[in-house]
Amino acid sequence: MVQELAALISQYGLLIIFTIVLLEQLGLPLPALATLVIAGAIAASGELSLSAIFGSAVLACLIGDAAWYAAGRRYGNRVLKTLCRVSLSPDICVNQAQANFDRWGMGLLVIAKYVPGLSTVVPPLAGVMRVEWRSFLLFDGIGAMLWAATGLGAGYLMHSQIALLLAQAERMGTGVLFLVAAMVAGYMATKWWKRRRLDAILRATRINVDELHALMNSGAQPMIVDVRPPVARTLDPRTIPGAVPVETRAIPRNFRPSPSSNQDIIIFCTCPDEAGAAQAARLLMERGYARVRTLQGGFDAWIAAGRDMQTLSAATA
């Protein structure tokens, strides 16, 4: 497989590189970085132009990311939620991406391609955040150039070693395919298990909007925790009456109630399948809190039900 990929790159050059990088940026699980490494090694032998490969890869990145940016700007959070529903890493999607965007700002566009799960999510998130086109293209372009240079540079500098690896792969034949398939299957199985674990937490702890509304009116005074990241709260400053804004990563050090308390703790977010709320619920359960539940459908379900809301400033006060 590796040898065939090298042969295709040598024969069709820029077209293969452009297509693989573009499709990978659009979300398909293709080995774009490995392709650039092999292309860099081939360029070292003089069969391909290193500058042409670099330009082709950067252009493909910008086209793919610009498409996601435009989709995010036009369709908003619906694009992010669709991405996260098909993702094997729900913990990285929406809530985590928004939290990272709040922390790193536009710099996240520069490093996103190096972080599995963020590369496809960050461009539409920039669109949702209404980042200006010029700023988006500037920082995304810097990130694309650094990423392409990393792959091509590694291949160019280690072309001798890569040639030996390709020769070894040729001798091993189908053994390489089985090894690669096993590694991919192991990675996907791990991600699938983590997702199933989150789903199990959700099924065991869910409370729907009507049940929460009845609980609030019963005088039980549940603690309602809004784990949306600051960026999401900026986009929509409304919240459930009495909700306390808390970042998921701050829960281990900042959460105050006593684990022995009989108070219900209701957690909500705006991420698909309540992945962020499930993550926060797991953290609290690990600290000994027993009465922890997640709001089914999250804040979107509360809005859709037409329940009362208040602004975050009023909730904080």
Side-chain angles (χ1 to χ4, degrees):
M1 179 180 179
V2 178
Q3 193 71 23
E4 285 78 0
L5 179 59
L8 285 172
I9 294 173
S10 297
Q11 184 174 358
Y12 297 103
L14 301 182
L15 179 61
I16 290 292
I17 293 163
F18 178 86
T19 302
I20 290 178
V21 173
L22 176 62
L23 293 177
E24 196 262 355
Q25 295 305 306
L26 291 175
L28 295 181
L30 296 177
L33 189 59
T35 302
L36 290 179
V37 172
I38 295 173
I42 294 173
S45 65
E47 297 181 45
L48 290 173
S49 167
L50 188 64
S51 60
I53 300 172
F54 177 78
S56 177
V58 171
L59 179 62
C61 285
L62 289 175
I63 291 175
D65 290 348
W68 280 121
Y69 170 87
R73 196 174 180 92
R74 180 177 179 85
Y75 299 108
N77 275 329
R78 284 179 292 172
V79 175
L80 295 174
K81 292 181 179 181
T82 299
L83 280 174
C84 291
R85 285 194 178 97
V86 300
S87 172
L88 288 173
S89 302
D91 53 317
I92 289 182
C93 287
V94 183
N95 260 34
Q96 191 64 39
Q98 288 176 334
N100 285 327
F101 198 93
D102 180 69
R103 183 178 182 184
W104 299 103
M106 298 298 290
L108 189 61
L109 284 166
V110 177
I111 64 172
K113 288 178 173 52
Y114 294 97
V115 183
L118 278 183
S119 179
T120 307
V121 176
V122 173
L125 176 59
V128 172
M129 294 299 299
R130 298 290 174 178
V131 171
E132 291 198 4
W133 268 103
R134 288 173 295 181
S135 296
F136 170 77
L137 291 176
L138 173 63
F139 285 91
D140 190 64
I142 293 173
M145 288 188 286
L146 289 174
W147 176 77
T150 299
L152 291 173
Y156 192 90
L157 294 174
M158 298 186 295
H159 63 276
S160 299
Q161 293 86 341
I162 291 172
L164 291 174
L165 287 174
L166 291 175
Q168 183 66 29
E170 180 71 13
R171 287 192 292 270
M172 292 178 64
T174 56
V176 175
L177 292 178
F178 285 119
L179 178 61
V180 172
M183 292 173 63
V184 172
Y187 172 79
M188 295 185 68
T190 301
K191 291 295 184 181
W192 174 83
W193 179 82
K194 288 182 178 179
R195 180 145 202 165
R196 287 295 299 270
R197 185 182 177 190
L198 282 173
D199 289 343
I201 292 174
L202 283 170
R203 286 194 298 270
T205 64
R206 271 178 173 160
I207 181 173
N208 63 41
V209 169
D210 292 336
E211 290 171 335
L212 175 57
H213 188 258
L215 185 64
M216 293 167 65
N217 289 335
S218 69
Q221 296 183 334
M223 171 172 279
I224 304 173
V225 182
D226 182 349
V227 294
R228 294 178 298 161
V231 169
R233 298 188 201 116
T234 300
L235 290 172
D236 189 348
R238 300 173 298 172
T239 192
I240 296 174
V244 179
V246 179
E247 289 190 60
T248 301
R249 64 187 179 194
I251 282 179
R253 63 179 184 273
N254 287 347
F255 212 71
R256 295 291 182 244
S258 169
S260 61
S261 171
N262 290 325
Q263 185 180 31
D264 287 289
I265 302 173
I266 313 299
I267 306 174
F268 73 90
C269 62
T270 52
C271 45
D273 300 324
E274 302 93 65
Q279 188 178 21
R282 177 177 59 82
L283 289 172
L284 289 175
M285 289 176 181
E286 289 174 352
R287 295 191 65 200
Y289 296 92
R291 301 175 66 89
V292 182
R293 307 172 76 179
T294 57
L295 180 60
Q296 184 175 1
F299 189 48
D300 292 334
W302 186 269
I303 295 173
R307 300 300 184 185
D308 293 339
M309 288 176 282
Q310 65 182 122
T311 62
L312 280 166
S313 57
T316 303

